[in-house]
Amino acid sequence: MSQHIFVTVVTPTAVAANNRGEGDGSTLSTLQKITRGNDQYTTVSADAIRWGYRECLQNSQPDNVNRTFYAEADKYNIKDEKYNPQTYIDDDLFGFMDAKKDKDNKNATEKRRGALEVSRAISLDPYWGDIVFGSKGGEKGKTSIHNTEVHCTAYQYTLALTPSSLKASERAKLLLDAIPAIKHVGGNHARFLYEFRPESIVIRVTEDPSPWIMNCFERVGDSVGCPRLVRLVEVKDIPASELIVAGEIADTPYGEKLKSLNVKVYRGVKEAIAAAKEMLKTEVTV
């Protein structure tokens, strides 16, 4: 059976706001939202998170990525327009689609489904409509005063990857290394400065094709807990041997409980990622 890796990340609590100068005077919503139960929560798209991982791999593996982004020119550069997942890690991990027509087949579409799956990031806290007001500099006009939606919260999201579906399964380890190094993530067309690195993390390396660990974090008082994850281990729906839990959650009663259930619990996120890499069965196949 294939080995799968699932990772659920919860970020630090910070102020999220999709700031953009050209939005001065706009009354459009700047934070994406969903409704769950009777409350609204803010969300960040999976595409925005994938963009953050692309940027991270561009910085750490510049010779091994096909599509690179140049901020000063605000444009992308493609090294190989035919795409090459054997050579380039981004073509392998994220997939591609080229709908250009060619001479031999007018309807030809070259595409590859991305091996990496990413969920939307959902806020841990409901959004109560916080708004801040500002004024643009220079000459004043009818659009001088503008508002920006802000949300002080943490976000959680999940990654899923089957290393054997990659052209080089060893690349799964590079993705794990990118998790604590992710930098720019933002919703829609803009970016906001917000730490999307893990404050706490749950990693599952398993032959089970279902994650079981999605949305396992929740707000408990002023902190973050994972009562559903504890229950899943207690009832043996998730074998303790398949889990690695790390970060600030390790210093909570939930971390102590998981440790008593024989789950591998680390205080350091990077230490946990190193342990997860040891659990992966990978080989270079390019």
Side-chain angles (χ1 to χ4, degrees):
M1 295 180 67
S2 297
Q3 188 183 59
H4 311 280
I5 181 165
F6 304 106
V7 182
T8 294
V9 169
V10 64
T11 71
T13 297
V15 177
N18 208 356
N19 299 317
R20 193 172 178 90
E22 68 185 35
D24 287 355
S26 172
T27 58
L28 297 176
S29 170
T30 54
L31 287 177
Q32 299 179 36
K33 305 170 195 70
I34 61 167
T35 301
R36 189 172 66 186
N38 295 320
D39 290 312
Q40 273 195 333
Y41 294 79
T42 57
T43 177
V44 177
S45 73
D47 286 336
I49 298 171
R50 284 161 59 93
W51 194 97
Y53 280 103
R54 278 185 178 275
E55 181 193 43
C56 185
L57 291 171
Q58 174 181 327
N59 293 333
S60 65
Q61 303 285 320
D63 296 329
N64 299 319
V65 296
N66 190 13
R67 191 177 83 170
T68 53
F69 178 72
Y70 293 91
E72 291 185 8
D74 193 27
K75 69 176 184 178
Y76 290 95
N77 179 56
I78 306 293
K79 295 177 184 175
D80 188 346
E81 291 190 359
K82 289 293 185 181
Y83 297 99
N84 190 337
Q86 286 81 13
T87 301
Y88 298 114
I89 184 173
D90 53 336
D91 288 350
D92 200 8
L93 271 176
F94 305 114
F96 53 83
M97 187 185 79
D98 185 354
K100 294 178 181 177
K101 296 179 180 179
D102 60 28
K103 296 179 181 179
D104 300 324
N105 187 345
K106 294 182 179 180
N107 296 315
T109 298
E110 185 183 7
K111 61 182 179 180
R112 169 178 168 80
R113 177 183 171 87
L116 174 66
E117 296 181 286
V118 186
S119 75
R120 271 188 170 270
I122 307 298
S123 65
L124 259 60
D125 307 287
Y127 176 65
W128 299 114
D130 293 339
I131 295 177
V132 297
F133 292 89
S135 175
K136 71 177 184 180
E139 185 178 348
K140 299 297 187 282
K142 64 181 181 179
T143 63
S144 295
I145 305 298
H146 60 275
N147 62 66
T148 301
E149 295 178 335
V150 294
H151 192 192
C152 187
T153 189
Y155 288 96
Q156 68 174 318
Y157 66 95
T158 297
L159 307 173
L161 180 66
T162 302
S164 62
S165 66
L166 296 168
K167 297 298 182 181
S169 57
E170 184 75 11
R171 290 168 173 165
K173 295 183 179 181
L174 296 177
L175 175 70
L176 286 173
D177 287 334
I179 292 173
I182 189 171
K183 186 180 179 183
H184 295 125
V185 167
N188 285 335
H189 60 287
R191 316 273 179 253
F192 55 81
L193 180 59
Y194 186 100
E195 278 196 299
F196 259 77
R197 57 89 179 173
E199 180 180 88
S200 294
I201 191 170
V202 176
I203 305 172
R204 186 184 183 201
V205 181
T206 178
E207 293 183 351
D208 185 347
S210 182
W212 285 81
I213 62 171
M214 292 185 71
N215 300 315
C216 61
F217 292 107
E218 61 184 67
R219 185 69 73 188
V220 179
D222 294 329
S223 186
V224 174
C226 55
R228 283 175 287 178
L229 182 65
V230 171
R231 180 190 175 278
L232 288 170
V233 178
E234 286 179 332
V235 301
K236 298 182 172 33
D237 280 335
I238 299 180
S241 60
E242 296 180 352
L243 283 181
I244 296 174
V245 177
E248 293 192 13
I249 197 75
D251 296 331
T252 69
Y254 299 99
E256 292 298 323
K257 181 61 177 179
L258 289 168
K259 190 182 297 185
S260 72
L261 293 169
N262 297 318
V263 173
K264 292 180 283 292
V265 178
Y266 299 89
R267 298 188 70 202
V269 169
K270 293 182 179 180
E271 184 182 11
I273 287 174
K277 290 164 65 176
E278 292 295 321
M279 294 174 65
L280 288 179
K281 301 172 184 177
T282 61
E283 59 183 19
V284 178
T285 56
V286 293

